[in-house]
Amino acid sequence: MNDLVRQHTALSDSDLEWLHLLVSEWQLLSDLSFADLVLWVPTLDGTRYVSVAQMRPNTGPTSYQDDMVGHLVPRGRRPLLDAALDEGRIVREGDPEWREEVPVRVESIPVRREGRVLGVIARNTNLLTVRTPSRLELTYLQSASDLAQMIAAGTFPFSGEQVDMDSSPRAGDGLVRLDAEGIVQYASPNALSAYHRLGLAADLVGQHLGQITAELAPSRGPVDEALVTLASGYAPREFEVEGNGGVIQLRAIPLKPKGTRIGSLVLLRDVTELRRRERELITKDATIREIHHRVKNNLQTVAALLRLQARRMDSDRGREALNEAVRRVGSIAIVHETLSQNLDERVEFDEIADRVIAMVAEISPGKVTCRRNGRFGILDAEVATPLSMVLTEVLQNALEHAFAQGERGTVEVSAVRGEARTDARLLITVRDDGCGLPEGFDPQRAGNLGLQIVRTLVEGELGGTFDMLPGTERGTKVVLDIPVRSQK
């Protein structure tokens, strides 16, 4: 719609925003009218109309099999559009049109904003299935007529009201028509069923909706009065009430076809099961986070015990082995700590990588500088946990073997996310400017425990590849190529 309006019309950005607000709301008008809606806007030179939006009803057959958006028609071909635009009134005169052997009643509704008519809504009703209307259909049509008059007067949609139409109640979910005093004139079967879910034993018709709602969903103090006002439809609001184990979502729409409120429409939907599932998910998420938190605490306890044991060791090799175990356990604890703070089983691995680098760098404080370039991005927990251990082992190996005692140097971790075929891949490179690899060293056969852990995790658990190569000028380069699921 933005492109069509800016290409063909002289409407301002604020006018365009009004049309967007109208289009976000007009599914309700379409459903209540049992009719298709097409929004026509006059072109810049005033000689034609361009259709910028279209809506089909959920409550009846469509009048248009084809998409009308983008069509241009010359002024004079559709007299009802001309009359609605020029006279600023709803035009219903004229005989039904025949489209593909289907009779269609056409009406035109001017779209007004701040006293100016921006365009015209063509309301097209398929008459092929016309029958004697029921009380429900008569209420729908009367409500549609009231909304159409409000659009023509520029009082609907309500400026400043943001409605999420994906989650907001629709006419078919449940509809209540109130008079100016808030008394129920009509309640659809779905609306009545929703109130029965709240505990209502009688009929809704003749009841004051605000008062009966406050009684069924009791609260304390002034909240009761606010609920009475909201449910009475005095202002355009969307809210929820809960009582008797049920939850109902309501949306109030004041009806002011001639400037004075004559009543209200209240759309409502029973969302009891939806809210119950949401609460179960919240509880499940909280439980999972608590599990991760406890695992992290247990791992930190294990690391502390290993650290205590290392201090009591007389053997330097034994003490170093225990310190290595402390770092391995610590890298897993970092992942679980991050997962305990998230709502899903995915983590931003850059933070984990930075903490792992800082933890391993404690081996040689003030001697070797460790830094990270690039982004690891968001990773699933099943990738993050083994990858944190792999990163720990590779960095630990570089700091222990690449530099002599007291020697200064640099270890750099680079991460690049890229695509290969249909799988996203993560390329990790760990470079150091140390002494390089020994003569004849084969990383695929080396018996070092750390390298065995890296090979097992990268090739077996992560399904990637691992290699150690001489650096370009000096030092060593470790390359990890790991498949990861792409995160949008």
Side-chain angles (χ1 to χ4, degrees), residues 190-378:
N190 285 345
L192 188 59
S193 297
Y195 266 82
H196 285 166
R197 189 73 176 263
L198 287 181
L200 178 68
D203 194 358
L204 269 176
V205 175
Q207 303 266 19
H208 189 285
L209 188 67
Q211 295 176 359
I212 198 69
T213 302
E215 292 172 5
L216 295 171
S219 54
R220 295 181 180 179
V223 178
D224 281 334
E225 299 178 8
L227 183 57
V228 170
T229 303
L230 289 173
S232 299
Y234 289 103
R237 293 289 186 273
E238 189 169 315
F239 56 99
E240 287 188 5
V241 295
E242 182 172 357
N244 196 40
V247 184
I248 294 180
Q249 182 183 16
L250 300 96
R251 183 189 176 201
I253 303 173
L255 297 176
K256 303 176 181 179
K258 296 181 180 179
T260 303
R261 195 176 74 86
I262 64 169
S264 304
L265 275 185
V266 177
L267 307 179
L268 57 93
R269 179 173 59 176
D270 185 350
V271 293
T272 304
E273 294 304 315
L274 177 62
R275 295 296 177 259
R276 181 183 63 81
R277 289 195 295 270
E278 288 177 352
R279 288 166 183 165
E280 288 179 350
L281 288 174
I282 291 173
T283 302
K284 178 182 176 183
D285 289 339
T287 302
I288 291 173
R289 291 198 298 272
E290 179 62 22
I291 290 172
H292 284 301
H293 181 71
R294 294 189 181 188
V295 170
K296 182 264 296 183
N297 288 344
N298 290 338
L299 288 172
Q300 289 180 337
T301 301
V302 171
L305 292 174
L306 291 173
R307 195 177 293 110
L308 286 173
Q309 187 65 41
R311 291 171 183 170
R312 294 174 178 268
M313 293 288 293
D314 296 329
S315 168
D316 291 339
R317 292 187 62 185
R319 187 183 304 108
E320 183 56 33
L322 287 176
N323 286 331
E324 288 182 2
V326 168
R327 287 187 286 272
R328 288 166 184 152
V329 172
S331 66
I332 302 174
I334 290 172
V335 176
H336 282 283
E337 182 180 2
T338 304
L339 288 169
S340 70
Q341 301 168 0
N342 291 349
L343 295 177
D344 55 21
E345 290 291 290
R346 297 188 297 165
V347 295
E348 179 64 60
F349 196 80
D350 295 319
E351 178 185 351
I352 294 175
D354 290 341
R355 294 180 63 181
V356 167
I357 291 171
M359 178 183 68
V360 178
E362 293 176 358
I363 299 174
S364 53
K367 300 173 185 177
V368 179
T369 302
C370 297
R371 60 172 178 261
R372 172 180 63 87
N373 290 322
R375 293 190 67 252
F376 289 84
I378 298 175

Side-chain angles (χ1 to χ4, degrees), residues 18 87-89 110-118 151-154:
W18 182 262
E87 301 172 22
R89 65 179 181 89
V111 177
R112 191 183 303 273
R113 174 180 179 263
E114 296 179 351
R116 296 180 299 111
V117 177
L118 307 183
I151 292 173

Side-chain angles (χ1 to χ4, degrees), residues 30-49:
S30 178
D31 290 344
L32 293 175
S33 303
F34 308 98
D36 291 77
L37 305 178
V38 179
L39 177 57
W40 297 93
V41 180
T43 57
L44 182 62
D45 58 9
T47 61
R48 295 180 296 175
Y49 298 96

Side-chain angles (χ1 to χ4, degrees), residues 49-67:
Y49 298 96
V50 57
S51 58
V52 298
Q54 178 179 1
M55 178 58 65
R56 292 184 173 90
N58 294 317
T59 52
T62 183
S63 302
Y64 289 108
Q65 299 300 324
D66 299 325
D67 190 0

